[in-house]
Each structure stands twice: as structure tokens, then as C-alpha cells.
Amino acid sequence: MKYNRILLKLSGEALMGDRQYGIDPKRLAEYAAEIKEIHDKGVQIAIVIGGGNIFRGVAGASNGMDRVQGDYMGMLATVINGMALQGALEDAGMQTRLQTALKIEAIAEPYIKRRAVRHLEKNRIVIFGAGTGNPYFTTDTAAVLRGIEVDCDVILKGTRVDGVYDSDPEKNADAVKYDYITFDDVLSKGLNIMDTTAFTLSQENKLPIIVFDMNKQGNLLKVCEGATVGTTVNI
């Protein structure tokens, strides 16, 4: 395998499957099967999930809700998603640990960097919930931050599109896909991969990002094997 330790970033919306909101058990099982493939080959796996299928702080703020309160609600939504994914992974036979940036001892460990690394070394899958524990930061930022802290080799951003394009492929049939692009080119072209804080953090710490279609069976394994899947963003 090309990568020994990865940080897999999943959107909350991905867990909806074909539903309008919430969590689709079928999609969870599909993701668990994909993750098990790389887990069985010895890849150490950390995961961060968004909470957009349940609640978005930014959306709440746009409707008059206090932004800080909304962001904390969003953090709790990521914990719910983390618990759901944890259950699916354990049903598939993998050992997991859920760590949260907010203290919720009844259901999860508090995030402790050394403990997280030890879990990874023991081939337990570590799910990081509650973002960074601070309002005004997205789960993209949390993913990059945790990836740097636990010394991951790469950030794998699983999305519903198969990479980074020069324009929105869902709106423009002539959009051109990049197999490889530098951080500087992403910024100069104004491409939207992650929020600015997350992207800058990744660039400054020379942590590559691979954007790929998580919903296509076998893609996660191919990425970890080093195949050209999706778009790689690097120095």
C-alpha cells in the first residue's frame, strides 16, 4: 500500500444516501465494506465526518440563529454520525474508537493525541467527532488538523464527484478534470476544494489531499494502492 496512515474525510450529506436527510443504513454498510478492504491490508485509518445531513451551523446562522450556538449543534451532529459509522464498522468486524473534541464521556473518549496514535498503531479505526471543538471552524479544518497531529500521510476527501474540475461538472458538461494539481494552482484558479483555513493548513504542513468519488466501489482501495484515482493536490 502506498499510504500507511490516512485521514479519511467524509461529508455528512454522503451518509444520507438517496434520502433527503438523516442516515441511510445501506450507505453506512457500503462505506464500512470499503473501509474494511484497506483495513485488512494494514492501512491505519482515522476518519472525520461532517454533520450536514443533520444540522449545519452556517445554515442556522443564516436563518437568524446565533452562529456559535449553531456551530456547537453542528459539532453534536458530527458525533451522531460518528456513532453511526462506528456501529457499522464494528458490525463489519473492525475495532474502533470514537474520540471527541467536546467531552461526552458516556459515549466517546476525549480527544488525546497520544491515545489516538496508540489506537492507530494497534490497527483500531479512530473516528474524530465534534470538529475542532471550536465554533467558526469546519470539519474540513478539523480533518486537516487531526491529520497533521496524528502524522497521517495523506488526507483522502471522499465526495460524490470523481475529482477536482476547472468548473462545476454537475453544471458544465465540458468541465476538465485535473489528475494532479499544486496548492498554488488551486489558489490561483480559485478552485473550491476545502475551506481556506483547512487548505492553507494542509499546504503549510505539506500534507497532500486526494479528492475522489467515495461512492464508486473499490475507489478507496485503489487510492491507497497508489492508483491514479480522483485528483491529487500537492506541493
Side-chain angles (χ1 to χ4, degrees):
M1 307 301 279
K2 181 175 181 178
Y3 303 109
N4 176 57
R5 181 178 296 168
I6 66 160
L7 189 297
L8 177 62
K9 170 61 170 65
L10 299 173
S11 70
E13 288 90 338
L15 300 187
M16 293 189 300
D18 295 327
R19 301 185 178 195
Q20 297 300 311
Y21 61 89
I23 299 169
D24 180 3
K26 181 182 176 184
R27 177 55 56 82
L28 273 179
E30 290 170 352
Y31 281 179
E34 295 288 309
I35 292 167
K36 184 171 173 42
E37 280 191 322
I38 64 170
H39 178 265
D40 289 349
K41 291 185 177 292
V43 177
Q44 297 175 12
I45 307 161
I47 303 174
V48 170
I49 317 177
N53 56 321
I54 299 173
F55 188 84
R56 277 186 177 277
V58 173
S62 68
N63 290 317
M65 179 180 289
D66 178 74
R67 172 64 190 271
V68 173
Q69 190 84 338
D71 279 354
Y72 278 116
M73 291 172 68
M75 290 178 215
L76 295 177
T78 71
V79 176
I80 292 172
N81 284 340
M83 292 174 68
L85 182 60
Q86 182 179 38
L89 293 173
E90 292 185 345
D91 285 345
M94 291 165 275
Q95 290 189 329
T96 70
R97 292 293 186 273
L98 175 61
Q99 292 196 344
T100 58
L102 301 175
K103 290 185 179 180
I104 319 175
E105 286 93 339
I107 57 173
E109 297 178 357
Y111 170 68
I112 299 172
K113 185 249 185 182
R114 289 178 180 272
R115 184 180 290 177
V117 170
R118 188 64 180 136
H119 289 322
L120 291 169
E121 290 172 346
K122 290 184 176 181
N123 290 319
R124 296 167 182 155
I125 296 174
V126 182
I127 303 168
F128 298 119
T132 66
N134 301 289
Y136 295 97
F137 291 93
T138 67
T139 49
D140 278 348
T141 299
V144 175
L145 178 62
R146 296 290 182 250
I148 294 166
E149 287 180 312
V150 302
D151 198 25
C152 289
D153 300 320
V154 66
I155 301 290
L156 303 184
K157 183 166 182 177
T159 68
R160 62 183 182 183
V161 294
D162 61 347
V164 178
Y165 288 76
D166 63 352
S167 60
D168 189 342
E170 295 181 350
K171 297 178 181 178
N172 179 14
D174 296 324
V176 177
K177 176 175 170 281
Y178 299 102
D179 290 331
Y180 180 92
I181 192 169
T182 66
F183 284 104
D184 288 339
D185 283 344
V186 169
L187 293 172
S188 66
K189 295 176 187 295
L191 303 176
N192 185 22
I193 294 175
M194 288 181 165
D195 69 87
T196 306
T197 304
F199 193 78
T200 302
L201 194 59
S202 187
Q203 181 181 26
E204 288 177 348
N205 288 274
K206 299 180 174 62
L207 182 62
I209 303 166
I210 299 177
V211 181
F212 71 104
D213 183 357
M214 181 66 186
N215 296 331
K216 184 175 180 180
Q217 187 175 359
N219 264 3
L220 181 59
L221 176 61
K222 290 176 182 176
V223 169
C224 291
E225 288 175 335
T228 304
V229 176
T231 301
T232 300
V233 185
N234 209 338
I235 299 298

